[in-house]
Amino acid sequence: MKLTQLLESWNLVQAENRLHRVVLVGLVITNGISALAALRTERTVVLVPPTLTQEVEITRNTASSQLKEAWGLYLAELLGNVTPATSEFITKALAPLLSTDLYRAVMDAMAEQINALKMDRVATSFKPREVSFEKATDKVFVSGELTTQGPNSKAETRNRTYEFVISTRNYRPRLDYIDVYPDEPRTLERLKVLKQQQEHR
């Protein structure tokens, strides 16, 4: 073999080695970036519980509107279907879901209402008609009919709307706001219409 051919092949091998080193460094960097991105990406959990009709998504601090609607319906049925016998259970079921800002006020109001229900031996039942989510306000509205009946009185039925703001903290639902009223849902659109009606009076 001639010396010139040997030097050419040696130079080729060295050039190939240099190229491989550059490619290897590039691969290490891209793998490091991919690993960092994977660690920083928040995990999304897709749920299809038996009580839901479609998939819902939940991350550590966010949830899809479908999940919020499902929790809103659960809370409305929990709060709307009360008897003297179930009142203590409802308080225990609701307490872990309440935010710290809401806890004291809601627990005091529920204790007062439970005492009134027990004294009058009144039972309430709620039949939901509609569940909706308003993205602009992050509110869930559950509207339906609330029936109240005592042991010696005729059943009284009226419209009832439960309004909730439900957030997610560490994959758990948290109730940040609640309002209950005998009216249609107070969505932004409806509040605008009501304001216009008041101005025309």
Side-chain angles (χ1 to χ4, degrees), residues 60-176:
R60 184 178 297 278
N61 294 315
T62 59
S64 62
S65 60
Q66 294 88 352
L67 186 62
K68 291 182 180 185
E69 286 178 3
W71 271 104
L73 181 60
Y74 166 75
L75 290 168
E77 289 183 328
L78 186 69
L79 294 168
N81 295 290
V82 185
T83 67
T86 62
S87 57
E88 300 295 333
F89 166 77
I90 291 167
T91 303
K92 287 179 184 176
L94 188 63
L97 302 174
L98 296 171
S99 68
T100 52
D101 295 338
L102 210 59
Y103 185 85
R104 190 73 270 142
V106 170
M107 287 294 106
D108 290 345
M110 284 192 68
E112 191 177 313
Q113 289 177 2
I114 286 167
N115 287 336
L117 285 172
K118 285 180 177 178
M119 285 177 64
D120 299 335
R121 292 182 294 157
V122 172
T124 64
S125 63
F126 178 69
K127 291 181 183 174
R129 275 193 328 261
E130 185 183 356
V131 181
S132 60
F133 176 75
E134 188 175 58
K135 190 175 181 179
T137 58
D138 199 31
K139 288 182 179 179
V140 177
F141 300 93
V142 184
S143 57
E145 294 179 344
L146 183 78
T147 303
T148 307
Q149 186 171 15
N152 300 317
S153 63
K154 188 179 176 182
E156 182 184 331
T157 301
R158 58 188 181 276
N159 288 337
R160 174 63 61 96
T161 296
Y162 293 89
E163 188 177 303
F164 306 108
V165 173
I166 301 165
S167 62
T168 305
R169 292 293 176 270
N170 294 321
Y171 300 100
R172 292 175 55 109
R174 189 181 75 182
L175 184 58
D176 292 328

